[in-house]
Amino acid sequence: MSEFTRSFLVHWNDCDPARIVFHANFIRWMDEGFTDMSRARGVDFAAMAEADPHFRGSPLVDLRCAFRAPARFADMLEHRIAPPAFTGGRAFRLAHRFLLADGTLVAEGEQTRIWGRDEGEGLRAVQMPEEIRAKLQG
């Protein structure tokens, strides 16, 4: 199991009037990071949804984010995502950390997601296929 890392530049439109990253962007970046990690590990949600009309992806069911230090316009952020933690049920957790170039922890959070299907009775959490689970764990 390996951590997934990506880096990106903080843009002007990511910041609020106080000239620091607006808090909601970390939530967006966690979601984008999960998508980037999944694709990098061979899990293409768009292709899976096209192949299976009942597949609903991996919806977010719980979220937390704690802010530790400010990030500002033009900072480079490193986003680290720990391998998914499976608890034996239908949900899994992803731990996220955002760091400045000097290693300062800016924010850390956790997402809880499910593997979703809708076969006419509404969205349901189901067991993730074992091959997908293995890919996501890297």
Side-chain angles (χ1 to χ4, degrees):
M1 295 191 296
S2 62
E3 185 174 70
F4 177 79
T5 302
R6 69 189 192 119
S7 296
F8 57 91
L9 181 68
V10 174
H11 295 103
W12 178 257
N13 64 334
D14 295 323
C15 299
D16 62 19
R19 300 183 182 167
I20 60 174
V21 170
F22 179 62
H23 66 277
N25 286 312
F26 289 98
I27 308 308
R28 176 176 56 94
W29 292 332
M30 283 192 267
D31 202 52
E32 290 172 356
F34 174 64
T35 299
D36 288 352
M37 180 187 79
S38 298
R39 288 182 61 86
R41 294 184 173 176
V43 179
D44 184 341
F45 288 105
M48 293 171 72
E50 189 174 313
D52 178 357
H54 301 290
F55 178 63
R56 296 294 180 261
S58 186
L60 183 66
V61 296
D62 194 21
L63 170 71
R64 72 166 191 82
C65 190
F67 307 101
R68 307 295 182 205
R72 293 181 164 75
F73 170 62
D75 282 343
M76 282 298 297
L77 289 180
E78 182 177 86
H79 180 190
R80 297 180 185 174
I81 306 172
F86 294 92
T87 59
R90 296 180 180 139
F92 61 97
R93 289 186 317 278
L94 293 158
H96 298 260
R97 293 168 39 91
F98 296 89
L99 301 111
L100 294 172
D102 68 2
T104 300
L105 178 63
V106 172
E108 56 189 336
E110 183 176 274
Q111 295 176 312
T112 302
R113 293 180 168 275
I114 62 168
W115 198 251
R117 291 186 62 77
D118 182 351
E119 296 179 1
E121 297 177 10
L123 180 65
R124 299 275 185 244
V126 299
Q127 290 287 16
M128 179 185 289
E130 201 53 47
E131 78 173 49
I132 302 297
R133 183 177 176 155
K135 286 180 179 181
L136 289 177
Q137 290 187 311

mmCIF file of all heavy atoms in Angstrom, residues 56-105:
data_model
loop_
_atom_site.group_PDB
_atom_site.id
_atom_site.type_symbol
_atom_site.label_atom_id
_atom_site.label_comp_id
_atom_site.label_asym_id
_atom_site.label_seq_id
_atom_site.Cartn_x
_atom_site.Cartn_y
_atom_site.Cartn_z
ATOM 1 N N ARG A 56 -22.766 4.011 -9.618
ATOM 2 C CA ARG A 56 -22.884 5.413 -9.231
ATOM 3 C C ARG A 56 -21.594 5.985 -8.655
ATOM 4 O O ARG A 56 -21.592 7.007 -7.978
ATOM 5 C CB ARG A 56 -24.021 5.598 -8.215
ATOM 6 C CG ARG A 56 -25.386 5.269 -8.758
ATOM 7 C CD ARG A 56 -25.775 6.264 -9.867
ATOM 8 N NE ARG A 56 -27.084 5.975 -10.402
ATOM 9 C CZ ARG A 56 -27.290 5.307 -11.536
ATOM 10 N NH1 ARG A 56 -26.285 4.861 -12.256
ATOM 11 N NH2 ARG A 56 -28.518 5.086 -11.963
ATOM 12 N N GLY A 57 -20.497 5.313 -8.896
ATOM 13 C CA GLY A 57 -19.214 5.846 -8.450
ATOM 14 C C GLY A 57 -18.948 5.563 -6.989
ATOM 15 O O GLY A 57 -19.374 4.558 -6.436
ATOM 16 N N SER A 58 -18.253 6.497 -6.374
ATOM 17 C CA SER A 58 -17.870 6.357 -4.975
ATOM 18 C C SER A 58 -18.286 7.619 -4.221
ATOM 19 O O SER A 58 -17.471 8.477 -3.913
ATOM 20 C CB SER A 58 -16.363 6.120 -4.876
ATOM 21 O OG SER A 58 -16.007 5.847 -3.553
ATOM 22 N N PRO A 59 -19.583 7.727 -3.924
ATOM 23 C CA PRO A 59 -20.092 8.944 -3.290
ATOM 24 C C PRO A 59 -19.489 9.204 -1.909
ATOM 25 O O PRO A 59 -19.205 8.281 -1.148
ATOM 26 C CB PRO A 59 -21.592 8.687 -3.170
ATOM 27 C CG PRO A 59 -21.889 7.594 -4.132
ATOM 28 C CD PRO A 59 -20.644 6.776 -4.221
ATOM 29 N N LEU A 60 -19.351 10.464 -1.628
ATOM 30 C CA LEU A 60 -18.876 10.943 -0.337
ATOM 31 C C LEU A 60 -20.030 10.890 0.660
ATOM 32 O O LEU A 60 -21.120 11.375 0.364
ATOM 33 C CB LEU A 60 -18.382 12.379 -0.511
ATOM 34 C CG LEU A 60 -17.760 13.083 0.672
ATOM 35 C CD1 LEU A 60 -16.454 12.420 1.058
ATOM 36 C CD2 LEU A 60 -17.525 14.542 0.312
ATOM 37 N N VAL A 61 -19.809 10.281 1.835
ATOM 38 C CA VAL A 61 -20.866 10.206 2.843
ATOM 39 C C VAL A 61 -20.492 10.913 4.144
ATOM 40 O O VAL A 61 -21.346 11.167 4.987
ATOM 41 C CB VAL A 61 -21.300 8.746 3.122
ATOM 42 C CG1 VAL A 61 -21.919 8.137 1.866
ATOM 43 C CG2 VAL A 61 -20.151 7.903 3.634
ATOM 44 N N ASP A 62 -19.210 11.235 4.329
ATOM 45 C CA ASP A 62 -18.793 11.973 5.522
ATOM 46 C C ASP A 62 -17.472 12.656 5.214
ATOM 47 O O ASP A 62 -16.692 12.191 4.380
ATOM 48 C CB ASP A 62 -18.631 11.025 6.711
ATOM 49 C CG ASP A 62 -18.544 11.777 8.044
ATOM 50 O OD1 ASP A 62 -18.985 12.937 8.118
ATOM 51 O OD2 ASP A 62 -18.024 11.187 9.007
ATOM 52 N N LEU A 63 -17.232 13.761 5.922
ATOM 53 C CA LEU A 63 -16.068 14.575 5.615
ATOM 54 C C LEU A 63 -15.668 15.395 6.830
ATOM 55 O O LEU A 63 -16.525 15.857 7.577
ATOM 56 C CB LEU A 63 -16.451 15.519 4.469
ATOM 57 C CG LEU A 63 -15.516 16.628 4.089
ATOM 58 C CD1 LEU A 63 -14.278 16.067 3.414
ATOM 59 C CD2 LEU A 63 -16.230 17.584 3.158
ATOM 60 N N ARG A 64 -14.364 15.578 6.996
ATOM 61 C CA ARG A 64 -13.859 16.515 7.997
ATOM 62 C C ARG A 64 -12.581 17.123 7.454
ATOM 63 O O ARG A 64 -11.871 16.516 6.650
ATOM 64 C CB ARG A 64 -13.616 15.851 9.344
ATOM 65 C CG ARG A 64 -12.437 14.937 9.386
ATOM 66 C CD ARG A 64 -12.033 14.565 10.820
ATOM 67 N NE ARG A 64 -10.750 13.901 10.764
ATOM 68 C CZ ARG A 64 -9.566 14.500 10.682
ATOM 69 N NH1 ARG A 64 -9.479 15.808 10.647
ATOM 70 N NH2 ARG A 64 -8.449 13.806 10.630
ATOM 71 N N CYS A 65 -12.307 18.348 7.891
ATOM 72 C CA CYS A 65 -11.079 19.012 7.481
ATOM 73 C C CYS A 65 -10.669 19.969 8.593
ATOM 74 O O CYS A 65 -11.491 20.738 9.097
ATOM 75 C CB CYS A 65 -11.278 19.768 6.175
ATOM 76 S SG CYS A 65 -9.743 20.391 5.456
ATOM 77 N N ALA A 66 -9.411 19.901 8.986
ATOM 78 C CA ALA A 66 -8.860 20.790 10.008
ATOM 79 C C ALA A 66 -7.773 21.645 9.364
ATOM 80 O O ALA A 66 -6.944 21.140 8.610
ATOM 81 C CB ALA A 66 -8.290 19.971 11.164
ATOM 82 N N PHE A 67 -7.780 22.918 9.691
ATOM 83 C CA PHE A 67 -6.841 23.869 9.098
ATOM 84 C C PHE A 67 -5.752 24.190 10.110
ATOM 85 O O PHE A 67 -6.042 24.569 11.241
ATOM 86 C CB PHE A 67 -7.596 25.120 8.649
ATOM 87 C CG PHE A 67 -8.760 24.759 7.761
ATOM 88 C CD1 PHE A 67 -10.054 24.729 8.264
ATOM 89 C CD2 PHE A 67 -8.547 24.396 6.456
ATOM 90 C CE1 PHE A 67 -11.119 24.357 7.468
ATOM 91 C CE2 PHE A 67 -9.603 24.016 5.642
ATOM 92 C CZ PHE A 67 -10.897 24.004 6.145
ATOM 93 N N ARG A 68 -4.501 24.045 9.703
ATOM 94 C CA ARG A 68 -3.366 24.175 10.617
ATOM 95 C C ARG A 68 -2.507 25.416 10.376
ATOM 96 O O ARG A 68 -1.922 25.941 11.296
ATOM 97 C CB ARG A 68 -2.478 22.930 10.526
ATOM 98 C CG ARG A 68 -3.211 21.623 10.713
ATOM 99 C CD ARG A 68 -3.763 21.510 12.100
ATOM 100 N NE ARG A 68 -4.420 20.220 12.282
ATOM 101 C CZ ARG A 68 -5.361 19.995 13.155
ATOM 102 N NH1 ARG A 68 -5.780 20.954 13.941
ATOM 103 N NH2 ARG A 68 -5.904 18.809 13.261
ATOM 104 N N ALA A 69 -2.406 25.848 9.120
ATOM 105 C CA ALA A 69 -1.593 27.024 8.767
ATOM 106 C C ALA A 69 -2.143 27.575 7.453
ATOM 107 O O ALA A 69 -2.742 26.831 6.677
ATOM 108 C CB ALA A 69 -0.122 26.636 8.606
ATOM 109 N N PRO A 70 -1.952 28.871 7.196
ATOM 110 C CA PRO A 70 -2.495 29.425 5.954
ATOM 111 C C PRO A 70 -1.681 29.017 4.726
ATOM 112 O O PRO A 70 -0.468 28.856 4.786
ATOM 113 C CB PRO A 70 -2.418 30.938 6.178
ATOM 114 C CG PRO A 70 -1.331 31.126 7.177
ATOM 115 C CD PRO A 70 -1.348 29.900 8.048
ATOM 116 N N ALA A 71 -2.394 28.867 3.626
ATOM 117 C CA ALA A 71 -1.768 28.749 2.303
ATOM 118 C C ALA A 71 -2.214 29.974 1.532
ATOM 119 O O ALA A 71 -3.339 30.456 1.711
ATOM 120 C CB ALA A 71 -2.220 27.480 1.603
ATOM 121 N N ARG A 72 -1.323 30.485 0.699
ATOM 122 C CA ARG A 72 -1.589 31.752 0.012
ATOM 123 C C ARG A 72 -1.370 31.626 -1.486
ATOM 124 O O ARG A 72 -0.794 30.654 -1.964
ATOM 125 C CB ARG A 72 -0.663 32.827 0.575
ATOM 126 C CG ARG A 72 -0.962 33.169 2.026
ATOM 127 C CD ARG A 72 -0.022 34.268 2.536
ATOM 128 N NE ARG A 72 -0.489 34.874 3.758
ATOM 129 C CZ ARG A 72 -0.424 34.304 4.964
ATOM 130 N NH1 ARG A 72 0.107 33.115 5.102
ATOM 131 N NH2 ARG A 72 -0.873 34.935 6.029
ATOM 132 N N PHE A 73 -1.817 32.657 -2.193
ATOM 133 C CA PHE A 73 -1.625 32.752 -3.633
ATOM 134 C C PHE A 73 -0.168 32.460 -3.990
ATOM 135 O O PHE A 73 0.755 32.950 -3.346
ATOM 136 C CB PHE A 73 -2.018 34.163 -4.099
ATOM 137 C CG PHE A 73 -1.642 34.468 -5.519
ATOM 138 C CD1 PHE A 73 -2.178 33.736 -6.560
ATOM 139 C CD2 PHE A 73 -0.748 35.474 -5.798
ATOM 140 C CE1 PHE A 73 -1.836 34.013 -7.873
ATOM 141 C CE2 PHE A 73 -0.395 35.775 -7.110
ATOM 142 C CZ PHE A 73 -0.943 35.027 -8.152
ATOM 143 N N ALA A 74 0.014 31.634 -5.021
ATOM 144 C CA ALA A 74 1.307 31.246 -5.590
ATOM 145 C C ALA A 74 2.068 30.215 -4.764
ATOM 146 O O ALA A 74 3.165 29.818 -5.159
ATOM 147 C CB ALA A 74 2.183 32.452 -5.894
ATOM 148 N N ASP A 75 1.519 29.765 -3.632
ATOM 149 C CA ASP A 75 2.155 28.656 -2.908
ATOM 150 C C ASP A 75 2.003 27.377 -3.723
ATOM 151 O O ASP A 75 0.982 27.166 -4.389
ATOM 152 C CB ASP A 75 1.492 28.414 -1.541
ATOM 153 C CG ASP A 75 1.900 29.411 -0.476
ATOM 154 O OD1 ASP A 75 2.927 30.103 -0.660
ATOM 155 O OD2 ASP A 75 1.194 29.488 0.545
ATOM 156 N N MET A 76 3.008 26.513 -3.651
ATOM 157 C CA MET A 76 2.889 25.164 -4.189
ATOM 158 C C MET A 76 2.456 24.274 -3.032
ATOM 159 O O MET A 76 3.073 24.312 -1.964
ATOM 160 C CB MET A 76 4.224 24.656 -4.747
ATOM 161 C CG MET A 76 4.579 25.216 -6.107
ATOM 162 S SD MET A 76 3.417 24.782 -7.426
ATOM 163 C CE MET A 76 3.569 23.007 -7.498
ATOM 164 N N LEU A 77 1.404 23.528 -3.251
ATOM 165 C CA LEU A 77 0.935 22.600 -2.227
ATOM 166 C C LEU A 77 1.205 21.167 -2.662
ATOM 167 O O LEU A 77 1.040 20.828 -3.834
ATOM 168 C CB LEU A 77 -0.565 22.762 -1.971
ATOM 169 C CG LEU A 77 -1.004 24.026 -1.256
ATOM 170 C CD1 LEU A 77 -2.525 24.036 -1.090
ATOM 171 C CD2 LEU A 77 -0.325 24.163 0.093
ATOM 172 N N GLU A 78 1.615 20.377 -1.702
ATOM 173 C CA GLU A 78 1.741 18.944 -1.914
ATOM 174 C C GLU A 78 0.551 18.298 -1.215
ATOM 175 O O GLU A 78 0.303 18.548 -0.036
ATOM 176 C CB GLU A 78 3.044 18.419 -1.337
ATOM 177 C CG GLU A 78 3.225 16.933 -1.582
ATOM 178 C CD GLU A 78 4.557 16.432 -1.070
ATOM 179 O OE1 GLU A 78 4.632 16.104 0.121
ATOM 180 O OE2 GLU A 78 5.506 16.402 -1.877
ATOM 181 N N HIS A 79 -0.175 17.499 -1.957
ATOM 182 C CA HIS A 79 -1.368 16.816 -1.445
ATOM 183 C C HIS A 79 -1.032 15.336 -1.338
ATOM 184 O O HIS A 79 -0.737 14.682 -2.334
ATOM 185 C CB HIS A 79 -2.523 17.057 -2.416
ATOM 186 C CG HIS A 79 -3.808 16.413 -2.017
ATOM 187 N ND1 HIS A 79 -4.881 16.366 -2.876
ATOM 188 C CD2 HIS A 79 -4.222 15.801 -0.889
ATOM 189 C CE1 HIS A 79 -5.885 15.749 -2.287
ATOM 190 N NE2 HIS A 79 -5.510 15.393 -1.079
ATOM 191 N N ARG A 80 -1.073 14.815 -0.133
ATOM 192 C CA ARG A 80 -0.773 13.402 0.113
ATOM 193 C C ARG A 80 -2.046 12.688 0.543
ATOM 194 O O ARG A 80 -2.756 13.149 1.437
ATOM 195 C CB ARG A 80 0.273 13.253 1.210
ATOM 196 C CG ARG A 80 1.604 13.863 0.852
ATOM 197 C CD ARG A 80 2.583 13.680 1.978
ATOM 198 N NE ARG A 80 3.834 14.356 1.697
ATOM 199 C CZ ARG A 80 4.824 14.453 2.554
ATOM 200 N NH1 ARG A 80 4.712 13.919 3.761
ATOM 201 N NH2 ARG A 80 5.932 15.087 2.217
ATOM 202 N N ILE A 81 -2.303 11.556 -0.098
ATOM 203 C CA ILE A 81 -3.482 10.757 0.225
ATOM 204 C C ILE A 81 -3.004 9.369 0.642
ATOM 205 O O ILE A 81 -2.321 8.678 -0.123
ATOM 206 C CB ILE A 81 -4.437 10.644 -0.973
ATOM 207 C CG1 ILE A 81 -4.800 12.036 -1.511
ATOM 208 C CG2 ILE A 81 -5.686 9.854 -0.582
ATOM 209 C CD1 ILE A 81 -5.576 12.003 -2.810
ATOM 210 N N ALA A 82 -3.366 8.989 1.856
ATOM 211 C CA ALA A 82 -3.008 7.654 2.346
ATOM 212 C C ALA A 82 -3.855 6.621 1.614
ATOM 213 O O ALA A 82 -4.957 6.924 1.145
ATOM 214 C CB ALA A 82 -3.247 7.566 3.850
ATOM 215 N N PRO A 83 -3.373 5.392 1.508
ATOM 216 C CA PRO A 83 -4.190 4.347 0.883
ATOM 217 C C PRO A 83 -5.530 4.222 1.613
ATOM 218 O O PRO A 83 -5.613 4.454 2.824
ATOM 219 C CB PRO A 83 -3.359 3.076 1.075
ATOM 220 C CG PRO A 83 -1.974 3.552 1.294
ATOM 221 C CD PRO A 83 -2.094 4.884 1.975
ATOM 222 N N PRO A 84 -6.585 3.879 0.889
ATOM 223 C CA PRO A 84 -7.888 3.738 1.530
ATOM 224 C C PRO A 84 -7.839 2.762 2.704
ATOM 225 O O PRO A 84 -7.170 1.737 2.646
ATOM 226 C CB PRO A 84 -8.784 3.191 0.418
ATOM 227 C CG PRO A 84 -8.096 3.559 -0.852
ATOM 228 C CD PRO A 84 -6.633 3.564 -0.542
ATOM 229 N N ALA A 85 -8.549 3.122 3.752
ATOM 230 C CA ALA A 85 -8.672 2.250 4.925
ATOM 231 C C ALA A 85 -10.048 1.591 4.858
ATOM 232 O O ALA A 85 -11.067 2.277 4.939
ATOM 233 C CB ALA A 85 -8.515 3.056 6.206
ATOM 234 N N PHE A 86 -10.052 0.294 4.689
ATOM 235 C CA PHE A 86 -11.294 -0.470 4.613
ATOM 236 C C PHE A 86 -11.576 -1.065 5.987
ATOM 237 O O PHE A 86 -10.701 -1.647 6.607
ATOM 238 C CB PHE A 86 -11.179 -1.576 3.562
ATOM 239 C CG PHE A 86 -11.036 -1.034 2.170
ATOM 240 C CD1 PHE A 86 -9.775 -0.820 1.626
ATOM 241 C CD2 PHE A 86 -12.154 -0.732 1.419
ATOM 242 C CE1 PHE A 86 -9.632 -0.315 0.344
ATOM 243 C CE2 PHE A 86 -12.020 -0.219 0.138
ATOM 244 C CZ PHE A 86 -10.772 -0.014 -0.407
ATOM 245 N N THR A 87 -12.814 -0.911 6.423
ATOM 246 C CA THR A 87 -13.170 -1.356 7.769
ATOM 247 C C THR A 87 -13.959 -2.659 7.776
ATOM 248 O O THR A 87 -14.465 -3.063 8.801
ATOM 249 C CB THR A 87 -13.990 -0.272 8.490
ATOM 250 O OG1 THR A 87 -15.167 -0.011 7.705
ATOM 251 C CG2 THR A 87 -13.189 1.009 8.653
ATOM 252 N N GLY A 88 -14.065 -3.300 6.628
ATOM 253 C CA GLY A 88 -14.814 -4.545 6.560
ATOM 254 C C GLY A 88 -16.235 -4.349 6.091
ATOM 255 O O GLY A 88 -16.895 -5.283 5.680
ATOM 256 N N GLY A 89 -16.724 -3.115 6.133
ATOM 257 C CA GLY A 89 -18.075 -2.831 5.658
ATOM 258 C C GLY A 89 -18.046 -2.352 4.223
ATOM 259 O O GLY A 89 -17.131 -2.670 3.459
ATOM 260 N N ARG A 90 -19.007 -1.561 3.892
ATOM 261 C CA ARG A 90 -19.125 -1.063 2.522
ATOM 262 C C ARG A 90 -18.509 0.319 2.346
ATOM 263 O O ARG A 90 -18.491 0.854 1.254
ATOM 264 C CB ARG A 90 -20.592 -1.043 2.130
ATOM 265 C CG ARG A 90 -21.175 -2.436 2.103
ATOM 266 C CD ARG A 90 -22.622 -2.397 1.708
ATOM 267 N NE ARG A 90 -23.104 -3.761 1.694
ATOM 268 C CZ ARG A 90 -24.268 -4.135 2.153
ATOM 269 N NH1 ARG A 90 -25.084 -3.244 2.668
ATOM 270 N NH2 ARG A 90 -24.638 -5.390 2.099
ATOM 271 N N ALA A 91 -18.025 0.906 3.423
ATOM 272 C CA ALA A 91 -17.426 2.238 3.370
ATOM 273 C C ALA A 91 -15.905 2.126 3.525
ATOM 274 O O ALA A 91 -15.393 1.128 4.024
ATOM 275 C CB ALA A 91 -17.999 3.115 4.482
ATOM 276 N N PHE A 92 -15.226 3.165 3.080
ATOM 277 C CA PHE A 92 -13.779 3.248 3.285
ATOM 278 C C PHE A 92 -13.413 4.695 3.542
ATOM 279 O O PHE A 92 -14.140 5.614 3.193
ATOM 280 C CB PHE A 92 -13.007 2.663 2.094
ATOM 281 C CG PHE A 92 -13.243 3.361 0.777
ATOM 282 C CD1 PHE A 92 -12.376 4.330 0.321
ATOM 283 C CD2 PHE A 92 -14.335 3.029 -0.012
ATOM 284 C CE1 PHE A 92 -12.577 4.966 -0.890
ATOM 285 C CE2 PHE A 92 -14.554 3.650 -1.227
ATOM 286 C CZ PHE A 92 -13.676 4.614 -1.668
ATOM 287 N N ARG A 93 -12.279 4.878 4.209
ATOM 288 C CA ARG A 93 -11.804 6.211 4.570
ATOM 289 C C ARG A 93 -10.528 6.553 3.806
ATOM 290 O O ARG A 93 -9.680 5.698 3.579
ATOM 291 C CB ARG A 93 -11.549 6.291 6.072
ATOM 292 C CG ARG A 93 -12.811 6.293 6.899
ATOM 293 C CD ARG A 93 -12.547 6.516 8.390
ATOM 294 N NE ARG A 93 -11.426 5.769 8.915
ATOM 295 C CZ ARG A 93 -11.475 4.489 9.299
ATOM 296 N NH1 ARG A 93 -12.583 3.819 9.211
ATOM 297 N NH2 ARG A 93 -10.404 3.902 9.774
ATOM 298 N N LEU A 94 -10.397 7.841 3.490
ATOM 299 C CA LEU A 94 -9.199 8.374 2.856
ATOM 300 C C LEU A 94 -8.686 9.527 3.706
ATOM 301 O O LEU A 94 -9.430 10.476 3.978
ATOM 302 C CB LEU A 94 -9.516 8.903 1.454
ATOM 303 C CG LEU A 94 -9.923 7.863 0.422
ATOM 304 C CD1 LEU A 94 -10.704 8.506 -0.695
ATOM 305 C CD2 LEU A 94 -8.688 7.168 -0.106
ATOM 306 N N ALA A 95 -7.440 9.458 4.123
ATOM 307 C CA ALA A 95 -6.816 10.537 4.890
ATOM 308 C C ALA A 95 -6.033 11.427 3.932
ATOM 309 O O ALA A 95 -5.279 10.933 3.083
ATOM 310 C CB ALA A 95 -5.898 9.967 5.963
ATOM 311 N N HIS A 96 -6.223 12.732 4.068
ATOM 312 C CA HIS A 96 -5.580 13.726 3.199
ATOM 313 C C HIS A 96 -4.730 14.668 4.038
ATOM 314 O O HIS A 96 -5.129 15.056 5.137
ATOM 315 C CB HIS A 96 -6.651 14.570 2.488
ATOM 316 C CG HIS A 96 -7.549 13.802 1.604
ATOM 317 N ND1 HIS A 96 -7.382 13.745 0.243
ATOM 318 C CD2 HIS A 96 -8.654 13.056 1.874
ATOM 319 C CE1 HIS A 96 -8.338 13.008 -0.286
ATOM 320 N NE2 HIS A 96 -9.118 12.574 0.685
ATOM 321 N N ARG A 97 -3.567 15.044 3.466
ATOM 322 C CA ARG A 97 -2.709 16.054 4.102
ATOM 323 C C ARG A 97 -2.235 17.006 3.012
ATOM 324 O O ARG A 97 -1.858 16.572 1.926
ATOM 325 C CB ARG A 97 -1.508 15.395 4.779
ATOM 326 C CG ARG A 97 -1.899 14.538 5.976
ATOM 327 C CD ARG A 97 -0.781 13.648 6.511
ATOM 328 N NE ARG A 97 0.538 14.218 6.529
ATOM 329 C CZ ARG A 97 1.084 14.890 7.554
ATOM 330 N NH1 ARG A 97 0.398 15.071 8.651
ATOM 331 N NH2 ARG A 97 2.304 15.349 7.477
ATOM 332 N N PHE A 98 -2.238 18.300 3.338
ATOM 333 C CA PHE A 98 -1.765 19.340 2.430
ATOM 334 C C PHE A 98 -0.580 20.035 3.086
ATOM 335 O O PHE A 98 -0.691 20.502 4.222
ATOM 336 C CB PHE A 98 -2.872 20.365 2.152
ATOM 337 C CG PHE A 98 -4.051 19.792 1.429
ATOM 338 C CD1 PHE A 98 -5.113 19.236 2.129
ATOM 339 C CD2 PHE A 98 -4.095 19.789 0.042
ATOM 340 C CE1 PHE A 98 -6.207 18.697 1.472
ATOM 341 C CE2 PHE A 98 -5.189 19.255 -0.627
ATOM 342 C CZ PHE A 98 -6.239 18.706 0.086
ATOM 343 N N LEU A 99 0.547 20.082 2.359
ATOM 344 C CA LEU A 99 1.770 20.662 2.912
ATOM 345 C C LEU A 99 2.355 21.716 1.978
ATOM 346 O O LEU A 99 2.271 21.595 0.755
ATOM 347 C CB LEU A 99 2.817 19.566 3.126
ATOM 348 C CG LEU A 99 2.375 18.450 4.063
ATOM 349 C CD1 LEU A 99 2.179 17.181 3.279
ATOM 350 C CD2 LEU A 99 3.359 18.266 5.165
ATOM 351 N N LEU A 100 2.956 22.735 2.589
ATOM 352 C CA LEU A 100 3.728 23.720 1.830
ATOM 353 C C LEU A 100 5.065 23.107 1.426
ATOM 354 O O LEU A 100 5.463 22.060 1.953
ATOM 355 C CB LEU A 100 3.961 24.971 2.673
ATOM 356 C CG LEU A 100 2.727 25.786 3.037
ATOM 357 C CD1 LEU A 100 3.083 26.877 4.040
ATOM 358 C CD2 LEU A 100 2.086 26.380 1.787
ATOM 359 N N ALA A 101 5.775 23.789 0.540
ATOM 360 C CA ALA A 101 7.062 23.286 0.054
ATOM 361 C C ALA A 101 8.070 23.065 1.184
ATOM 362 O O ALA A 101 8.915 22.179 1.100
ATOM 363 C CB ALA A 101 7.634 24.246 -0.987
ATOM 364 N N ASP A 102 7.972 23.853 2.269
ATOM 365 C CA ASP A 102 8.908 23.687 3.387
ATOM 366 C C ASP A 102 8.480 22.597 4.372
ATOM 367 O O ASP A 102 9.112 22.387 5.409
ATOM 368 C CB ASP A 102 9.108 25.018 4.122
ATOM 369 C CG ASP A 102 7.868 25.506 4.867
ATOM 370 O OD1 ASP A 102 6.822 24.812 4.865
ATOM 371 O OD2 ASP A 102 7.938 26.602 5.456
ATOM 372 N N GLY A 103 7.374 21.894 4.053
ATOM 373 C CA GLY A 103 6.897 20.810 4.907
ATOM 374 C C GLY A 103 5.847 21.208 5.923
ATOM 375 O O GLY A 103 5.330 20.360 6.649
ATOM 376 N N THR A 104 5.498 22.490 5.992
ATOM 377 C CA THR A 104 4.477 22.950 6.935
ATOM 378 C C THR A 104 3.128 22.327 6.594
ATOM 379 O O THR A 104 2.678 22.409 5.443
ATOM 380 C CB THR A 104 4.350 24.491 6.900
ATOM 381 O OG1 THR A 104 5.594 25.075 7.246
ATOM 382 C CG2 THR A 104 3.261 24.981 7.850
ATOM 383 N N LEU A 105 2.496 21.738 7.593
ATOM 384 C CA LEU A 105 1.169 21.172 7.409
ATOM 385 C C LEU A 105 0.147 22.306 7.358
ATOM 386 O O LEU A 105 0.034 23.084 8.303
ATOM 387 C CB LEU A 105 0.834 20.204 8.556
ATOM 388 C CG LEU A 105 -0.549 19.560 8.519
ATOM 389 C CD1 LEU A 105 -0.714 18.668 7.284
ATOM 390 C CD2 LEU A 105 -0.780 18.764 9.797
#
